[in-house]
Structures are given as C-alpha cells and as structure tokens.
Amino acid sequence: MHSRLLPALLGLALLAAPAAAQDVIKIGEFASMTGANASFGRQSHNGTQLAIDEINAAGGVLGRRLQLILEDDQSTAGQAATAVQKLIAQDKVVALLGEVASSKSLEGAPIAQRNKIPMISPASTNPKVTETGDYIFRVCFIDPFQGTVMAKYALSKGWKKIAVLTDVKQDYSVGLAEFFVKYYTANGGTIVRDQKYSSGDKEFRAQITSIKGAAPDAVFVPGYYGEVALIGKQARLLGLNVPLLGGDGWVGESLLPVAAGALDGSFFSAHFSTDDTRPAVQDFVRKYRAKYNSTPDDMAALGYDSAMILAEAIKRAGGTDSAKLRDAIAATKNHAGITGVITLDAQRNAAKSAVILTINQGGFKFQETVAP
Ligand code: PHE
C-alpha cells in the first residue's frame, strides 16, 4: 500500500459511514507521470482524480468509496506491462484506467484481457488497442477517423503535395500516418516525401532538408509534442516555412513554449477545446483550474470522462463482478461527457467529433468541429 494512502484510510475507518476500508472499490490507473511524456500522465491523472473526488464527495458508488491507485510507467517501454501486472496481482483492482499513448495501452491491454479486468483507455486512438479483446474499451475516437479528418482538411485547403514525417517508435504515429495517406492519396493528393524519426531524437535536419527538396505544400507530422516542437523549430531554421499538420499527439504542456512561435500557422486535430462554450466544458475548465492551478487539456478531459463512465457502469452492474462490469461498460450509451456524447459501439470504441485547432501567437485557436 502507498504510505500516503494510509492516513486517509485510517481516517475513513474512524468514520462510521459510508465506507469501511474493506468496502473501498479499487481502481487502477497507469500513466506516464515522469519521462518524455509526463504531460500526458499529469493531465490524464488530474482529470481522472477530479472525477473520482467528485464521485466520493457525492457518497461514492453503491455506498462505497472509490480508491484510485496510480502506477507511473515512466514513459518507458516495458513499464506499462509491469504497472498493469502489479495493479491486478497485488492491488487487486476491479478495473483499469489508462493509458494515453497507444504503445503503452497495447502493453497493458493483453494483461488486462487475460485476467478479465476491464480496461478503459482515455486517449489511445490506435485501432489495435480495443482489438486486443472484449475487456478493452476507450472513450475517444480512433485514428482511421482522425487521419481522414486531417487529410480532408489538407485537401480542402488546396494542398495537393504533402510530405510525411513519422515516429517509427510509436504505434500511434505509424498508424495515423497510414490512415492519413490512405485517404489523401485516394482523393487526389500526392505524398512527395516519406521520412522517419524515433521518439527521443533531437536532430531532424536530415529529414527536413530532404522534405524541403520535395517542395511540399504542407508536412504531416503525426508525432508527440516533444519531438514536434523541435521539428517545428528546426524546419523554420532551415527555411521550410509551409504549415505543419498533426494529430492529438501534439497536445502537451511544453509544445508551445519550446516551439516558441515556430508552429504558428500550423494545424492539428484533437478531442477538446477550452474555447468550447458548452456549460459542462466551461464548468470542467473552472473546476480543474481551481484544483490544479493550470488549464486542462484533452487528456484531462478524457481522463475525467473515462472515470465517470467506469463509475456509472459499476452502479449499473450493481457491483464489481468482472463479467457484469464488462457488460455494463459495453452498454454505455449517450454519456454526456466533457469531450462530447459518448456511446460505445460493438468494437468498444467511441464515435465522436474531432476538433481542428490552429496555432496562433503562442496559443491554440479553435477552427472547426468535424463530426464522424
Ligand atoms: N492519441 C494518442 C495515442 O494514441 C495519445 C494522445 C491523446 C495524445 C490525446 C495527446 C492527446 O497515442
């Protein structure tokens, strides 16, 4: 047990109601709290914890308190599997929330499936994640949709020649590039260069020089924020001044500070915008800021939605029996989430709108919403 949980549990045990320590419902969360993608973990965990705290403040689920047990997978290959093993075998969690990065969810999912522990990924968009098996769910859209959204957008802008720069270490990046190219080339676009890099790279000059030589109208960079910020900077330094295009992986706390203006005029697709005027969104933004003194991003909103959907499912299942809980999650319909209305389909995915954002004077600006 985490030592910091001990005082909380002791405190609880002293209260007569509603829940003695043994009545707590344990939920496991695995996230990249440290390392290259720590922004993903911080945000998704904060959003998830906000939901859990609200549920507990309102009396818990079925009169029982929810306990979120967090494991840090350190943004490191292999650690998500270790985290999920531990949460299932040692902590005996009844369900799992995680991960953001698709490669990490793909490490955890087979273990959850084998143990019949329902897992809900807040933000992993690669199709293979939920294809792992019938205990694996997600509350976000998938990359065949996201890739199509950005390919259509590029074509609508009249960009007929595009170069692609893919992170070969991430299932997310490889998949999103593939779905983008498929729609784009089937609808009149031409890929004029196809370049690769690996997560953790800091030098992109060779790829950028090659891309510049092909004179594209834009460059599709379906990567994560850390590398994308450096790619944007180095592209401008080398005189490649066309717009960069990307997906949800661009969202990260260090993207704009590191890019320092280099990504102005670029576009990407995402799940959520703080410009969304729906009262539920504005209420969430306000609560998140009050609690964490920072602005929530996509992962925070998706983390919140994933925890709320799990809590509702436990309520509908009448308990935590794993088969019943699986069926209850699968039956999720019209959940009014922060990231939109969530209905899980037969493939355990959510068909939802994407937003397209642009970067302008160091901020994200909402462009449009694209329905599935
Ligand atoms: N969709 C990304 C993946 O599958 C993760 C991500 C989601 C990143 C939302 C940022 C925002 O790896």
Side-chain angles (χ1 to χ4, degrees):
M1 185 185 304
H2 292 176
S3 57
R4 67 194 158 76
L5 287 176
L6 213 52
L9 287 179
L10 289 175
L12 256 184
L14 294 175
L15 295 170
Q22 69 269 26
D23 287 334
V24 153
I25 296 176
K26 290 183 181 178
I27 295 166
E29 182 192 10
F30 62 119
S32 299
M33 300 304 294
T34 54
N37 296 324
S39 174
F40 288 170
R42 240 187 336 261
Q43 287 267 348
S44 62
H45 174 63
N46 284 349
T48 304
Q49 189 69 60
L50 181 62
I52 300 281
D53 290 350
E54 281 179 20
I55 292 161
N56 285 337
V61 176
L62 304 170
R64 297 164 71 187
R65 202 183 147 80
L66 301 182
Q67 181 191 349
L68 186 65
I69 304 177
L70 169 67
E71 281 295 315
D72 176 14
D73 61 41
Q74 302 156 29
S75 311
T76 302
Q79 290 302 314
T82 308
V84 167
Q85 290 277 16
K86 186 248 172 197
L87 288 166
I88 294 175
Q90 223 166 294
D91 299 311
K92 310 250 184 285
V93 299
V94 303
L96 289 155
L97 297 174
E99 230 261 10
V100 168
S102 288
S103 296
K104 295 275 174 297
S105 288
L106 285 165
E107 274 184 30
I111 301 165
Q113 179 67 32
R114 214 179 307 128
N115 288 280
K116 295 200 179 338
I117 297 296
M119 166 178 146
I120 307 177
S121 167
S124 290
T125 47
N126 187 280
K128 289 182 290 183
V129 172
T130 46
E131 287 166 9
T132 303
D134 61 348
Y135 275 75
I136 315 300
F137 301 86
R138 78 179 103 217
V139 298
C140 54
F141 54 65
I142 57 175
D143 287 331
F145 170 65
Q146 182 169 210
T148 301
V149 164
M150 286 315 288
K152 273 189 190 159
Y153 191 72
L155 291 165
S156 78
K157 289 272 182 184
W159 297 327
K160 288 287 164 50
K161 297 186 301 172
I162 281 191
V164 179
L165 181 51
T166 309
D167 181 347
V168 293
K169 285 280 163 61
Q170 300 293 342
D171 293 284
Y172 158 75
S173 188
V174 172
L176 186 52
E178 182 189 319
F179 301 119
F180 175 91
V181 168
K182 198 169 158 200
Y183 187 92
Y184 184 71
T185 54
N187 290 278
T190 304
I191 301 300
V192 292
R193 270 295 188 280
D194 186 7
Q195 291 283 312
K196 320 274 182 212
Y197 68 93
S198 295
S199 292
D201 284 357
K202 302 256 181 282
E203 272 297 331
F204 304 91
R205 282 159 216 260
Q207 294 95 322
I208 292 166
T209 303
S210 163
I211 287 169
K212 196 183 168 198
D217 298 321
V219 186
F220 187 56
V221 192
Y224 290 151
Y225 62 96
E227 290 83 7
V228 169
L230 296 175
I231 289 166
K233 253 167 92 164
Q234 292 175 24
R236 301 323 178 212
L237 282 172
L238 292 169
L240 177 64
N241 290 315
V242 297
L244 304 191
L245 308 177
D248 57 352
W250 280 29
V251 180
E253 290 157 1
S254 66
L255 180 84
L256 297 173
V258 172
L263 290 171
D264 278 21
S266 290
F267 299 87
F268 65 100
S269 50
H271 306 263
F272 163 83
S273 164
T274 50
D275 294 341
D276 191 328
T277 54
R278 282 183 298 140
V281 174
Q282 288 309 316
D283 191 43
F284 169 75
V285 171
R286 194 182 39 72
K287 286 186 299 194
Y288 187 99
R289 282 191 176 135
K291 184 165 179 145
Y292 302 110
N293 197 25
S294 66
T295 299
D297 68 16
D298 302 52
M299 278 75 69
L302 289 164
Y304 183 92
D305 285 349
S306 69
M308 284 296 182
I309 282 176
L310 176 59
E312 271 180 14
I314 295 172
K315 208 179 293 172
R316 274 188 277 112
T320 58
D321 170 77
S322 99
K324 285 188 187 142
L325 180 53
R326 191 224 78 91
D327 290 350
I329 298 169
T332 299
K333 262 194 191 57
N334 296 324
H335 171 89
I338 305 303
T339 58
V341 177
I342 299 171
T343 294
L344 294 182
D345 64 21
Q347 284 72 47
R348 301 169 298 284
N349 301 320
K352 289 159 70 192
S353 295
V355 293
I356 298 177
L357 304 176
T358 185
I359 296 173
N360 186 356
Q361 297 187 326
F364 294 161
K365 298 278 174 306
F366 175 80
Q367 289 283 111
E368 61 184 79
T369 298
V370 186

